[in-house]
PDB file of all heavy atoms in Angstrom:
ATOM      1  N   LEU A 287      -4.163  73.614  35.213  1.00 80.00           N
ATOM      2  CA  LEU A 287      -3.548  72.441  34.606  1.00 80.00           C
ATOM      3  C   LEU A 287      -3.575  71.229  35.539  1.00 80.00           C
ATOM      4  O   LEU A 287      -3.571  70.083  35.075  1.00 80.00           O
ATOM      5  CB  LEU A 287      -2.105  72.752  34.186  1.00 80.00           C
ATOM      6  CG  LEU A 287      -1.941  73.755  33.043  1.00 80.00           C
ATOM      7  CD1 LEU A 287      -0.468  73.980  32.732  1.00 80.00           C
ATOM      8  CD2 LEU A 287      -2.671  73.265  31.784  1.00 80.00           C
ATOM      9  N   GLU A 288      -3.641  71.467  36.837  1.00 76.00           N
ATOM     10  CA  GLU A 288      -3.654  70.363  37.792  1.00 76.00           C
ATOM     11  C   GLU A 288      -4.998  69.637  37.814  1.00 76.00           C
ATOM     12  O   GLU A 288      -5.108  68.570  38.430  1.00 76.00           O
ATOM     13  CB  GLU A 288      -3.287  70.865  39.190  1.00 76.00           C
ATOM     14  CG  GLU A 288      -1.847  71.338  39.299  1.00 76.00           C
ATOM     15  CD  GLU A 288      -1.416  71.564  40.734  1.00 76.00           C
ATOM     16  OE1 GLU A 288      -2.005  70.934  41.638  1.00 76.00           O
ATOM     17  OE2 GLU A 288      -0.492  72.363  40.956  1.00 76.00           O
ATOM     18  N   ILE A 289      -5.998  70.206  37.174  1.00 79.00           N
ATOM     19  CA  ILE A 289      -7.289  69.519  37.076  1.00 79.00           C
ATOM     20  C   ILE A 289      -7.112  68.167  36.397  1.00 79.00           C
ATOM     21  O   ILE A 289      -7.776  67.184  36.746  1.00 79.00           O
ATOM     22  CB  ILE A 289      -8.300  70.383  36.293  1.00 79.00           C
ATOM     23  CG1 ILE A 289      -8.630  71.652  37.080  1.00 79.00           C
ATOM     24  CG2 ILE A 289      -9.575  69.587  35.986  1.00 79.00           C
ATOM     25  CD1 ILE A 289      -9.534  72.613  36.332  1.00 79.00           C
ATOM     26  N   PHE A 290      -6.186  68.093  35.458  1.00 75.00           N
ATOM     27  CA  PHE A 290      -5.986  66.869  34.687  1.00 75.00           C
ATOM     28  C   PHE A 290      -5.055  65.874  35.382  1.00 75.00           C
ATOM     29  O   PHE A 290      -4.918  64.742  34.921  1.00 75.00           O
ATOM     30  CB  PHE A 290      -5.419  67.216  33.308  1.00 75.00           C
ATOM     31  CG  PHE A 290      -6.262  68.213  32.553  1.00 75.00           C
ATOM     32  CD1 PHE A 290      -5.932  69.554  32.531  1.00 75.00           C
ATOM     33  CD2 PHE A 290      -7.411  67.791  31.887  1.00 75.00           C
ATOM     34  CE1 PHE A 290      -6.721  70.477  31.853  1.00 75.00           C
ATOM     35  CE2 PHE A 290      -8.204  68.702  31.199  1.00 75.00           C
ATOM     36  CZ  PHE A 290      -7.862  70.046  31.176  1.00 75.00           C
ATOM     37  N   MET A 291      -4.460  66.261  36.502  1.00 71.00           N
ATOM     38  CA  MET A 291      -3.520  65.386  37.207  1.00 71.00           C
ATOM     39  C   MET A 291      -4.274  64.507  38.207  1.00 71.00           C
ATOM     40  O   MET A 291      -4.116  64.617  39.427  1.00 71.00           O
ATOM     41  CB  MET A 291      -2.447  66.216  37.905  1.00 71.00           C
ATOM     42  CG  MET A 291      -1.620  67.062  36.960  1.00 71.00           C
ATOM     43  SD  MET A 291      -0.376  68.070  37.818  1.00 71.00           S
ATOM     44  CE  MET A 291       0.322  69.003  36.467  1.00 71.00           C
ATOM     45  N   VAL A 292      -5.096  63.611  37.692  1.00 68.00           N
ATOM     46  CA  VAL A 292      -5.949  62.778  38.549  1.00 68.00           C
ATOM     47  C   VAL A 292      -5.135  61.819  39.400  1.00 68.00           C
ATOM     48  O   VAL A 292      -5.612  61.348  40.433  1.00 68.00           O
ATOM     49  CB  VAL A 292      -6.973  61.999  37.704  1.00 68.00           C
ATOM     50  CG1 VAL A 292      -7.949  62.941  37.050  1.00 68.00           C
ATOM     51  CG2 VAL A 292      -6.269  61.145  36.658  1.00 68.00           C
ATOM     52  N   TRP A 293      -3.906  61.533  38.984  1.00 62.00           N
ATOM     53  CA  TRP A 293      -3.081  60.603  39.763  1.00 62.00           C
ATOM     54  C   TRP A 293      -2.647  61.209  41.100  1.00 62.00           C
ATOM     55  O   TRP A 293      -2.179  60.500  41.980  1.00 62.00           O
ATOM     56  CB  TRP A 293      -1.840  60.210  38.949  1.00 62.00           C
ATOM     57  CG  TRP A 293      -1.006  61.355  38.504  1.00 62.00           C
ATOM     58  CD1 TRP A 293       0.014  61.961  39.182  1.00 62.00           C
ATOM     59  CD2 TRP A 293      -1.127  62.063  37.265  1.00 62.00           C
ATOM     60  NE1 TRP A 293       0.535  63.001  38.456  1.00 62.00           N
ATOM     61  CE2 TRP A 293      -0.133  63.076  37.261  1.00 62.00           C
ATOM     62  CE3 TRP A 293      -1.954  61.933  36.153  1.00 62.00           C
ATOM     63  CZ2 TRP A 293       0.028  63.955  36.190  1.00 62.00           C
ATOM     64  CZ3 TRP A 293      -1.789  62.808  35.088  1.00 62.00           C
ATOM     65  CH2 TRP A 293      -0.813  63.801  35.108  1.00 62.00           C
ATOM     66  N   GLN A 294      -2.812  62.512  41.258  1.00 63.00           N
ATOM     67  CA  GLN A 294      -2.481  63.154  42.520  1.00 63.00           C
ATOM     68  C   GLN A 294      -3.616  63.033  43.536  1.00 63.00           C
ATOM     69  O   GLN A 294      -3.476  63.460  44.671  1.00 63.00           O
ATOM     70  CB  GLN A 294      -2.148  64.636  42.292  1.00 63.00           C
ATOM     71  CG  GLN A 294      -0.882  64.860  41.485  1.00 63.00           C
ATOM     72  CD  GLN A 294      -0.540  66.327  41.329  1.00 63.00           C
ATOM     73  OE1 GLN A 294      -1.304  67.210  41.734  1.00 63.00           O
ATOM     74  NE2 GLN A 294       0.613  66.612  40.745  1.00 63.00           N
ATOM     75  N   GLY A 295      -4.739  62.434  43.125  1.00 65.00           N
ATOM     76  CA  GLY A 295      -5.870  62.288  44.025  1.00 65.00           C
ATOM     77  C   GLY A 295      -6.868  63.416  43.864  1.00 65.00           C
ATOM     78  O   GLY A 295      -6.598  64.439  43.219  1.00 65.00           O
ATOM     79  N   GLY A 296      -8.043  63.234  44.467  1.00 74.00           N
ATOM     80  CA  GLY A 296      -9.076  64.246  44.407  1.00 74.00           C
ATOM     81  C   GLY A 296     -10.236  63.835  43.533  1.00 74.00           C
ATOM     82  O   GLY A 296     -10.318  64.216  42.369  1.00 74.00           O
ATOM     83  N   MET A 297     -11.138  63.026  44.099  1.00 78.00           N
ATOM     84  CA  MET A 297     -12.340  62.583  43.393  1.00 78.00           C
ATOM     85  C   MET A 297     -13.539  62.773  44.322  1.00 78.00           C
ATOM     86  O   MET A 297     -13.438  62.566  45.524  1.00 78.00           O
ATOM     87  CB  MET A 297     -12.225  61.115  42.984  1.00 78.00           C
ATOM     88  CG  MET A 297     -11.089  60.811  42.005  1.00 78.00           C
ATOM     89  SD  MET A 297     -11.405  61.398  40.340  1.00 78.00           S
ATOM     90  CE  MET A 297     -12.508  60.118  39.742  1.00 78.00           C
ATOM     91  N   SER A 298     -14.651  63.157  43.745  1.00 82.00           N
ATOM     92  CA  SER A 298     -15.873  63.375  44.516  1.00 82.00           C
ATOM     93  C   SER A 298     -16.914  62.317  44.160  1.00 82.00           C
ATOM     94  O   SER A 298     -17.187  62.094  42.973  1.00 82.00           O
ATOM     95  CB  SER A 298     -16.447  64.772  44.211  1.00 82.00           C
ATOM     96  OG  SER A 298     -17.810  64.864  44.575  1.00 82.00           O
ATOM     97  N   PHE A 299     -17.481  61.672  45.186  1.00 78.00           N
ATOM     98  CA  PHE A 299     -18.526  60.697  44.889  1.00 78.00           C
ATOM     99  C   PHE A 299     -19.707  61.369  44.208  1.00 78.00           C
ATOM    100  O   PHE A 299     -20.242  60.854  43.228  1.00 78.00           O
ATOM    101  CB  PHE A 299     -19.023  60.003  46.162  1.00 78.00           C
ATOM    102  CG  PHE A 299     -20.305  59.260  45.924  1.00 78.00           C
ATOM    103  CD1 PHE A 299     -20.285  57.995  45.351  1.00 78.00           C
ATOM    104  CD2 PHE A 299     -21.540  59.848  46.189  1.00 78.00           C
ATOM    105  CE1 PHE A 299     -21.458  57.324  45.072  1.00 78.00           C
ATOM    106  CE2 PHE A 299     -22.728  59.181  45.916  1.00 78.00           C
ATOM    107  CZ  PHE A 299     -22.684  57.913  45.352  1.00 78.00           C
ATOM    108  N   HIS A 300     -20.152  62.505  44.740  1.00 80.00           N
ATOM    109  CA  HIS A 300     -21.341  63.154  44.189  1.00 80.00           C
ATOM    110  C   HIS A 300     -21.122  63.573  42.737  1.00 80.00           C
ATOM    111  O   HIS A 300     -22.035  63.507  41.915  1.00 80.00           O
ATOM    112  CB  HIS A 300     -21.730  64.354  45.050  1.00 80.00           C
ATOM    113  CG  HIS A 300     -22.167  63.977  46.434  1.00 80.00           C
ATOM    114  ND1 HIS A 300     -21.289  63.911  47.486  1.00 80.00           N
ATOM    115  CD2 HIS A 300     -23.383  63.605  46.922  1.00 80.00           C
ATOM    116  CE1 HIS A 300     -21.940  63.550  48.582  1.00 80.00           C
ATOM    117  NE2 HIS A 300     -23.198  63.354  48.265  1.00 80.00           N
ATOM    118  N   GLY A 301     -19.893  63.995  42.408  1.00 84.00           N
ATOM    119  CA  GLY A 301     -19.594  64.319  41.018  1.00 84.00           C
ATOM    120  C   GLY A 301     -19.600  63.083  40.143  1.00 84.00           C
ATOM    121  O   GLY A 301     -20.141  63.089  39.032  1.00 84.00           O
ATOM    122  N   GLY A 302     -18.991  61.994  40.649  1.00 84.00           N
ATOM    123  CA  GLY A 302     -19.007  60.739  39.904  1.00 84.00           C
ATOM    124  C   GLY A 302     -20.413  60.216  39.717  1.00 84.00           C
ATOM    125  O   GLY A 302     -20.758  59.671  38.658  1.00 84.00           O
ATOM    126  N   PHE A 303     -21.232  60.410  40.732  1.00 81.00           N
ATOM    127  CA  PHE A 303     -22.633  59.989  40.664  1.00 81.00           C
ATOM    128  C   PHE A 303     -23.365  60.719  39.538  1.00 81.00           C
ATOM    129  O   PHE A 303     -24.060  60.107  38.718  1.00 81.00           O
ATOM    130  CB  PHE A 303     -23.291  60.254  42.015  1.00 81.00           C
ATOM    131  CG  PHE A 303     -24.778  60.340  41.983  1.00 81.00           C
ATOM    132  CD1 PHE A 303     -25.544  59.194  41.857  1.00 81.00           C
ATOM    133  CD2 PHE A 303     -25.419  61.561  42.083  1.00 81.00           C
ATOM    134  CE1 PHE A 303     -26.927  59.275  41.829  1.00 81.00           C
ATOM    135  CE2 PHE A 303     -26.789  61.652  42.060  1.00 81.00           C
ATOM    136  CZ  PHE A 303     -27.548  60.498  41.921  1.00 81.00           C
ATOM    137  N   LEU A 304     -23.187  62.037  39.477  1.00 88.00           N
ATOM    138  CA  LEU A 304     -23.835  62.805  38.410  1.00 88.00           C
ATOM    139  C   LEU A 304     -23.289  62.404  37.044  1.00 88.00           C
ATOM    140  O   LEU A 304     -24.033  62.344  36.053  1.00 88.00           O
ATOM    141  CB  LEU A 304     -23.614  64.303  38.648  1.00 88.00           C
ATOM    142  CG  LEU A 304     -24.334  64.903  39.860  1.00 88.00           C
ATOM    143  CD1 LEU A 304     -23.934  66.364  40.049  1.00 88.00           C
ATOM    144  CD2 LEU A 304     -25.845  64.784  39.710  1.00 88.00           C
ATOM    145  N   GLY A 305     -21.988  62.103  36.989  1.00 90.00           N
ATOM    146  CA  GLY A 305     -21.399  61.658  35.733  1.00 90.00           C
ATOM    147  C   GLY A 305     -21.994  60.358  35.241  1.00 90.00           C
ATOM    148  O   GLY A 305     -22.258  60.185  34.050  1.00 90.00           O
ATOM    149  N   VAL A 306     -22.242  59.438  36.168  1.00 89.00           N
ATOM    150  CA  VAL A 306     -22.845  58.152  35.798  1.00 89.00           C
ATOM    151  C   VAL A 306     -24.297  58.343  35.366  1.00 89.00           C
ATOM    152  O   VAL A 306     -24.772  57.671  34.445  1.00 89.00           O
ATOM    153  CB  VAL A 306     -22.754  57.157  36.969  1.00 89.00           C
ATOM    154  CG1 VAL A 306     -23.561  55.893  36.677  1.00 89.00           C
ATOM    155  CG2 VAL A 306     -21.303  56.786  37.227  1.00 89.00           C
ATOM    156  N   VAL A 307     -25.021  59.245  36.006  1.00 88.00           N
ATOM    157  CA  VAL A 307     -26.410  59.529  35.610  1.00 88.00           C
ATOM    158  C   VAL A 307     -26.445  59.998  34.154  1.00 88.00           C
ATOM    159  O   VAL A 307     -27.253  59.516  33.346  1.00 88.00           O
ATOM    160  CB  VAL A 307     -27.030  60.590  36.535  1.00 88.00           C
ATOM    161  CG1 VAL A 307     -28.364  61.082  35.961  1.00 88.00           C
ATOM    162  CG2 VAL A 307     -27.253  60.020  37.934  1.00 88.00           C
ATOM    163  N   VAL A 308     -25.571  60.937  33.817  1.00 92.00           N
ATOM    164  CA  VAL A 308     -25.516  61.444  32.435  1.00 92.00           C
ATOM    165  C   VAL A 308     -25.113  60.333  31.477  1.00 92.00           C
ATOM    166  O   VAL A 308     -25.711  60.164  30.405  1.00 92.00           O
ATOM    167  CB  VAL A 308     -24.532  62.631  32.339  1.00 92.00           C
ATOM    168  CG1 VAL A 308     -24.338  63.046  30.881  1.00 92.00           C
ATOM    169  CG2 VAL A 308     -25.037  63.810  33.164  1.00 92.00           C
ATOM    170  N   ALA A 309     -24.100  59.548  31.852  1.00 91.00           N
ATOM    171  CA  ALA A 309     -23.622  58.469  30.982  1.00 91.00           C
ATOM    172  C   ALA A 309     -24.716  57.430  30.753  1.00 91.00           C
ATOM    173  O   ALA A 309     -24.890  56.927  29.635  1.00 91.00           O
ATOM    174  CB  ALA A 309     -22.392  57.811  31.605  1.00 91.00           C
ATOM    175  N   THR A 310     -25.466  57.100  31.808  1.00 90.00           N
ATOM    176  CA  THR A 310     -26.547  56.121  31.682  1.00 90.00           C
ATOM    177  C   THR A 310     -27.637  56.621  30.746  1.00 90.00           C
ATOM    178  O   THR A 310     -28.153  55.873  29.904  1.00 90.00           O
ATOM    179  CB  THR A 310     -27.150  55.807  33.063  1.00 90.00           C
ATOM    180  OG1 THR A 310     -26.119  55.279  33.917  1.00 90.00           O
ATOM    181  CG2 THR A 310     -28.275  54.796  32.957  1.00 90.00           C
ATOM    182  N   ALA A 311     -27.986  57.894  30.879  1.00 91.00           N
ATOM    183  CA  ALA A 311     -29.019  58.472  30.016  1.00 91.00           C
ATOM    184  C   ALA A 311     -28.569  58.466  28.548  1.00 91.00           C
ATOM    185  O   ALA A 311     -29.360  58.140  27.642  1.00 91.00           O
ATOM    186  CB  ALA A 311     -29.337  59.892  30.468  1.00 91.00           C
ATOM    187  N   LEU A 312     -27.308  58.810  28.314  1.00 91.00           N
ATOM    188  CA  LEU A 312     -26.789  58.821  26.939  1.00 91.00           C
ATOM    189  C   LEU A 312     -26.761  57.403  26.358  1.00 91.00           C
ATOM    190  O   LEU A 312     -27.119  57.189  25.195  1.00 91.00           O
ATOM    191  CB  LEU A 312     -25.383  59.419  26.910  1.00 91.00           C
ATOM    192  CG  LEU A 312     -25.282  60.921  27.218  1.00 91.00           C
ATOM    193  CD1 LEU A 312     -23.820  61.346  27.284  1.00 91.00           C
ATOM    194  CD2 LEU A 312     -26.030  61.735  26.167  1.00 91.00           C
ATOM    195  N   PHE A 313     -26.364  56.438  27.178  1.00 90.00           N
ATOM    196  CA  PHE A 313     -26.317  55.059  26.716  1.00 90.00           C
ATOM    197  C   PHE A 313     -27.718  54.543  26.395  1.00 90.00           C
ATOM    198  O   PHE A 313     -27.944  53.904  25.358  1.00 90.00           O
ATOM    199  CB  PHE A 313     -25.667  54.174  27.784  1.00 90.00           C
ATOM    200  CG  PHE A 313     -25.719  52.713  27.465  1.00 90.00           C
ATOM    201  CD1 PHE A 313     -24.829  52.137  26.584  1.00 90.00           C
ATOM    202  CD2 PHE A 313     -26.693  51.892  28.042  1.00 90.00           C
ATOM    203  CE1 PHE A 313     -24.881  50.788  26.285  1.00 90.00           C
ATOM    204  CE2 PHE A 313     -26.757  50.547  27.754  1.00 90.00           C
ATOM    205  CZ  PHE A 313     -25.849  49.992  26.864  1.00 90.00           C
ATOM    206  N   ALA A 314     -28.673  54.809  27.281  1.00 88.00           N
ATOM    207  CA  ALA A 314     -30.044  54.347  27.060  1.00 88.00           C
ATOM    208  C   ALA A 314     -30.614  54.931  25.774  1.00 88.00           C
ATOM    209  O   ALA A 314     -31.306  54.241  25.013  1.00 88.00           O
ATOM    210  CB  ALA A 314     -30.919  54.738  28.255  1.00 88.00           C
ATOM    211  N   ARG A 315     -30.304  56.187  25.514  1.00 88.00           N
ATOM    212  CA  ARG A 315     -30.798  56.815  24.288  1.00 88.00           C
ATOM    213  C   ARG A 315     -30.172  56.177  23.060  1.00 88.00           C
ATOM    214  O   ARG A 315     -30.842  55.968  22.038  1.00 88.00           O
ATOM    215  CB  ARG A 315     -30.485  58.307  24.326  1.00 88.00           C
ATOM    216  CG  ARG A 315     -30.991  59.071  23.100  1.00 88.00           C
ATOM    217  CD  ARG A 315     -30.722  60.555  23.260  1.00 88.00           C
ATOM    218  NE  ARG A 315     -31.209  61.299  22.100  1.00 88.00           N
ATOM    219  CZ  ARG A 315     -31.115  62.611  21.959  1.00 88.00           C
ATOM    220  NH1 ARG A 315     -30.562  63.333  22.920  1.00 88.00           N
ATOM    221  NH2 ARG A 315     -31.568  63.208  20.876  1.00 88.00           N
ATOM    222  N   ARG A 316     -28.886  55.834  23.156  1.00 88.00           N
ATOM    223  CA  ARG A 316     -28.205  55.258  22.000  1.00 88.00           C
ATOM    224  C   ARG A 316     -28.735  53.875  21.654  1.00 88.00           C
ATOM    225  O   ARG A 316     -28.910  53.553  20.476  1.00 88.00           O
ATOM    226  CB  ARG A 316     -26.699  55.170  22.253  1.00 88.00           C
ATOM    227  CG  ARG A 316     -25.900  54.666  21.052  1.00 88.00           C
ATOM    228  CD  ARG A 316     -24.426  54.651  21.326  1.00 88.00           C
ATOM    229  NE  ARG A 316     -24.042  53.550  22.187  1.00 88.00           N
ATOM    230  CZ  ARG A 316     -23.809  52.306  21.763  1.00 88.00           C
ATOM    231  NH1 ARG A 316     -23.956  51.999  20.479  1.00 88.00           N
ATOM    232  NH2 ARG A 316     -23.439  51.374  22.597  1.00 88.00           N
ATOM    233  N   VAL A 317     -29.001  53.043  22.654  1.00 83.00           N
ATOM    234  CA  VAL A 317     -29.423  51.668  22.391  1.00 83.00           C
ATOM    235  C   VAL A 317     -30.941  51.508  22.390  1.00 83.00           C
ATOM    236  O   VAL A 317     -31.451  50.430  22.088  1.00 83.00           O
ATOM    237  CB  VAL A 317     -28.801  50.699  23.418  1.00 83.00           C
ATOM    238  CG1 VAL A 317     -27.289  50.791  23.384  1.00 83.00           C
ATOM    239  CG2 VAL A 317     -29.320  50.959  24.833  1.00 83.00           C
ATOM    240  N   GLY A 318     -31.670  52.572  22.748  1.00 84.00           N
ATOM    241  CA  GLY A 318     -33.125  52.495  22.752  1.00 84.00           C
ATOM    242  C   GLY A 318     -33.696  51.646  23.867  1.00 84.00           C
ATOM    243  O   GLY A 318     -34.757  51.031  23.709  1.00 84.00           O
ATOM    244  N   ALA A 319     -33.009  51.594  24.993  1.00 82.00           N
ATOM    245  CA  ALA A 319     -33.473  50.807  26.139  1.00 82.00           C
ATOM    246  C   ALA A 319     -34.080  51.735  27.189  1.00 82.00           C
ATOM    247  O   ALA A 319     -33.766  52.934  27.220  1.00 82.00           O
ATOM    248  CB  ALA A 319     -32.314  50.017  26.737  1.00 82.00           C
ATOM    249  N   PRO A 320     -34.961  51.225  28.066  1.00 86.00           N
ATOM    250  CA  PRO A 320     -35.577  52.065  29.106  1.00 86.00           C
ATOM    251  C   PRO A 320     -34.518  52.599  30.067  1.00 86.00           C
ATOM    252  O   PRO A 320     -33.795  51.818  30.690  1.00 86.00           O
ATOM    253  CB  PRO A 320     -36.537  51.105  29.814  1.00 86.00           C
ATOM    254  CG  PRO A 320     -36.714  49.952  28.894  1.00 86.00           C
ATOM    255  CD  PRO A 320     -35.457  49.837  28.111  1.00 86.00           C
ATOM    256  N   VAL A 321     -34.430  53.909  30.184  1.00 90.00           N
ATOM    257  CA  VAL A 321     -33.379  54.500  30.999  1.00 90.00           C
ATOM    258  C   VAL A 321     -33.508  54.109  32.466  1.00 90.00           C
ATOM    259  O   VAL A 321     -32.493  53.894  33.154  1.00 90.00           O
ATOM    260  CB  VAL A 321     -33.372  56.035  30.837  1.00 90.00           C
ATOM    261  CG1 VAL A 321     -34.668  56.653  31.358  1.00 90.00           C
ATOM    262  CG2 VAL A 321     -32.159  56.640  31.530  1.00 90.00           C
ATOM    263  N   LEU A 322     -34.736  53.992  32.982  1.00 91.00           N
ATOM    264  CA  LEU A 322     -34.903  53.644  34.389  1.00 91.00           C
ATOM    265  C   LEU A 322     -34.501  52.191  34.661  1.00 91.00           C
ATOM    266  O   LEU A 322     -33.934  51.889  35.715  1.00 91.00           O
ATOM    267  CB  LEU A 322     -36.348  53.881  34.833  1.00 91.00           C
ATOM    268  CG  LEU A 322     -36.785  55.340  34.931  1.00 91.00           C
ATOM    269  CD1 LEU A 322     -38.249  55.424  35.346  1.00 91.00           C
ATOM    270  CD2 LEU A 322     -35.918  56.103  35.934  1.00 91.00           C
ATOM    271  N   ALA A 323     -34.788  51.311  33.723  1.00 90.00           N
ATOM    272  CA  ALA A 323     -34.402  49.905  33.896  1.00 90.00           C
ATOM    273  C   ALA A 323     -32.886  49.762  33.920  1.00 90.00           C
ATOM    274  O   ALA A 323     -32.324  49.010  34.726  1.00 90.00           O
ATOM    275  CB  ALA A 323     -34.996  49.052  32.779  1.00 90.00           C
ATOM    276  N   ILE A 324     -32.200  50.499  33.040  1.00 91.00           N
ATOM    277  CA  ILE A 324     -30.740  50.484  33.038  1.00 91.00           C
ATOM    278  C   ILE A 324     -30.210  51.126  34.318  1.00 91.00           C
ATOM    279  O   ILE A 324     -29.271  50.641  34.950  1.00 91.00           O
ATOM    280  CB  ILE A 324     -30.191  51.207  31.807  1.00 91.00           C
ATOM    281  CG1 ILE A 324     -30.569  50.457  30.536  1.00 91.00           C
ATOM    282  CG2 ILE A 324     -28.673  51.362  31.899  1.00 91.00           C
ATOM    283  CD1 ILE A 324     -30.131  51.138  29.262  1.00 91.00           C
TER     284      ILE A 324
END
Side-chain angles (χ1 to χ4, degrees):
L287 293 180
E288 293 192 25
I289 294 175
F290 305 99
M291 300 179 184
V292 294
W293 57 88
Q294 294 183 354
M297 297 287 281
S298 161
F299 166 81
H300 295 91
F303 159 75
L304 291 175
V306 171
V307 169
V308 173
T310 300
L312 291 175
F313 173 80
R315 181 176 180 180
R316 184 178 75 83
V317 302
V321 64
L322 290 179
I324 295 177

